[in-house]
Amino acid sequence: MCGIAGWVSFDSDLTQHHSTLDAMTQTMACRGPDGSGTFIRTHAGLGHRRLAIIDLPGGTQPMSIGTPNGDIAIVYSGEAYNFTELRTRLIELGHRFRTDSDTEVVLRGYLQWGDAVVDHLNGMYAFAIWDQREEKLVMIRDRMGIKPFYYYPTRDGVLFGSEPKAILANPLARKIVDTDGIRELFAMTKSPGWSLWKDMHEVLPGTIVTVDRGGLRSRTYWKLNPMAHNDSRDDTVARVRDLMTDIVERQLISDVPRCVLLSGGLDSSAITGLAAARLARDGERLRTFSVDFLHQEQSFRPDEMRDTPDSPFVREVAELVRSAHHDVVLDPEDLTDPEVRRAMITARDIPAGLGDMDASLYLLFKAIRAQSTVALSGESADEVFGGYRWFHDDAAVRSNTFPWLAFNSSVAGPDRFDLFIRDLLRRLSIDDYIGDQYATAVAEVEHLDGESETDRRMRTICHLHLTRFVRMLLDRKDRASMAVGLEVRVPFCDHRLVEYVYNTPWSLKTFDGREKSLLRHATEHVLPQSVAQRVKSPYPSTQDPGYAAGLAQQVKEIVAAPDSPVFALVDRTWVQNAVEHDLSRMTAEVRAGLDRVLDLHHWLDLYSPELQLD
């Protein structure tokens, strides 16, 4: 896992711009604390920061291979979990390897198959290859979008990086945020290719982007396709069990310490049970980590998303698998620390407004990094198996919008725009934008002939989650973890599992009358019964009133500054009323609004963007 950056310019001599390439690469230092390198030729420069996971002495980058017609060089972020099989195959085809790294396997795979190397990869990756033979840059991103990858077209080439900050370090990139950028930030539809920054785009998941003297073009190499599912219930459960066992075993491969993120829910507990069983065969004890809040278990109150606290279930799983478990317990002072908020905004390059959930994730990862370099996560199981509550809410399912927006919550409820100034909301026309995005997303879903109305609708909802919603969460997970140099792997995003479960009928996904029936029955052999029967509970959020008090105090300081730039976006009267409320009666919606105000305030201070909101 690493950070990459680069610059292609067909009208310039980039050997005269080492310092700029170095500056772009340096912004990725948190993603790669173990090493740094650059490759520069007349029209191309590649930069790399390394987090060493596989072949610690041999996997340095950029890595290049000389050919009679020019060098081929790669900068690579991620992991190819089937690299040993591919290495064997390439050796059989006549290749000779200098290292034991998966990077060289990908590079020699490109030498053998061209950009069709992606058809051979199982993993998470974002990589760029400069092919001097044809003077072209090839940028490739994994199928699900686990690893971030951005690019910024220029007059004579392109800038690229793992994160926007790498691109923004080049003077050719302007820090402009316009109405399109702000509109999607507030809307939460994850428009394909969106970046907050004007003229900057994501390399889409499952996509190859090629840049040469003829310009820029892209090709989709993978997408969700409908296929008939003919397996019986028992065979389907067995297939999911076999896939999960193989996936977890592959993703445990590492030359550095690894662990599992354990929340006490079905998803992370399944990964924990499978990982513990695999490591036990080698006499190794699994390490697990969870996040909790001071006194949360004793004072827990059920809400619209969470019925039970996590801690009792975490303990049961840890005791069952006999893991070396660590609780990271946070208090309101930890969660409201402005430096933690600024660190998370810097990591994400956007003011996401998730408050304590972002802060606790960052602090959890920071604590884990002191003991492990790789962690396995249960992220994305809900999108794959249909676990969110709105999958099972008739109103959300039948609504003519994205289900996560139709389901009323503090983050996505109808009052979430009240804090913004009226004139800005009028210019953004967010409701119309969401409607257009929804229509576009639904139109992309392909169906099988003869599907029932229920299966057509639920296939559509699953597709929306796997191509829109999950990408928001994967980006958050990657940025927070890599900000502290921690690699987080997501077994549920293995494309074999995604393809298989996507094509199971809804009646199979819910055959026991519950959410995630297939996952529950496929992994119940490694779970405590209490966890197997637990109702879906999302990532935890603190209920301590001290958090709201801390928010209110910090926002009061912003209100006291008459020239604060945040009030170009936020309604000052709404903010004043929010912080003057009785804190003991502060609603979740108001608390979420204050988190948004603070994020916007710090983001404006950190990035000084040029706002073009006409």
Side-chain angles (χ1 to χ4, degrees), residues 209-460:
V209 177
T210 303
V211 181
D212 58 21
R213 290 183 181 273
L216 183 150
R217 55 195 177 277
S218 63
R219 174 176 74 84
T220 300
Y221 71 86
W222 184 87
K223 65 184 182 70
L224 289 169
N225 291 314
M227 293 180 285
H229 184 83
N230 299 314
D231 292 349
S232 68
R233 177 194 297 180
D234 288 346
D235 288 344
T236 301
V237 170
R239 177 61 176 155
V240 171
R241 181 182 300 118
D242 289 344
L243 281 168
M244 287 300 306
T245 302
D246 177 70
I247 292 164
V248 170
E249 183 165 338
R250 287 178 181 273
Q251 297 199 17
L252 284 171
I253 296 173
S254 171
D255 293 337
V256 294
R258 67 273 208 240
C259 65
V260 174
L261 309 177
L262 175 59
S263 71
L266 174 61
D267 315 335
S268 67
S269 300
I271 300 297
T272 298
L274 292 169
R278 174 63 188 88
L279 294 183
R281 291 183 358 222
D282 295 333
E284 186 176 347
R285 188 183 184 194
L286 177 69
R287 281 186 282 192
T288 53
F289 290 83
S290 65
V291 66
D292 199 5
F293 307 108
L294 193 64
H295 307 311
Q296 178 100 327
E297 184 177 354
Q298 297 86 343
S299 59
F300 180 83
R301 300 179 307 279
D303 59 27
E304 77 275 7
M305 298 292 285
R306 301 167 182 86
D307 296 330
T308 53
D310 289 341
S311 298
F313 301 95
V314 168
R315 287 194 295 271
E316 280 200 63
V317 175
E319 290 170 4
L320 177 68
V321 304
R322 299 181 180 179
S323 66
H325 183 71
H326 307 268
D327 288 309
V328 178
V329 181
L330 306 172
D331 62 25
E333 186 175 344
D334 299 321
L335 297 170
T336 57
D337 183 346
E339 291 309 309
V340 172
R341 186 180 294 270
R342 289 171 74 86
M344 193 61 181
I345 293 169
T346 301
R348 299 192 67 182
D349 294 308
I350 62 172
L354 293 181
D356 70 301
M357 291 189 290
D358 269 357
S360 64
L361 189 69
Y362 174 83
L363 292 171
L364 170 64
F365 289 158
K366 187 176 181 180
I368 292 172
R369 185 60 176 88
Q371 300 185 54
S372 293
T373 311
V374 172
L376 272 63
S377 165
E379 191 88 82
S380 309
D382 290 304
E383 290 82 1
V384 174
F385 290 95
Y388 291 116
R389 297 195 175 195
W390 49 78
F391 273 93
H392 309 275
D393 181 273
D394 284 343
V397 167
R398 297 179 185 279
S399 66
N400 195 32
T401 190
F402 296 98
W404 56 90
L405 299 181
F407 189 82
N408 191 18
S409 71
S410 60
V411 175
D415 301 329
R416 64 193 173 108
F417 302 129
D418 288 355
L419 72 157
F420 301 109
I421 58 177
R422 300 300 98 186
D423 184 57
L424 174 63
L425 291 176
R426 178 187 57 78
R427 282 177 278 167
L428 293 178
S429 300
I430 295 176
D431 288 341
D432 291 341
Y433 173 79
I434 291 173
D436 291 343
Q437 286 295 318
Y438 178 73
T440 298
V442 169
E444 293 174 351
V445 185
E446 300 177 24
H447 296 277
L448 293 174
D449 293 337
E451 276 187 322
S452 69
E453 181 180 344
T454 296
D455 279 333
R456 285 183 64 88
R457 183 58 186 160
M458 297 314 296
R459 183 186 291 279
T460 295

Side-chain angles (χ1 to χ4, degrees), residues 44-60:
L46 309 179
H48 186 266
R49 292 290 312 205
R50 187 185 185 205
L51 176 62
I53 303 293
I54 301 290
D55 187 14
L56 306 191
T60 56

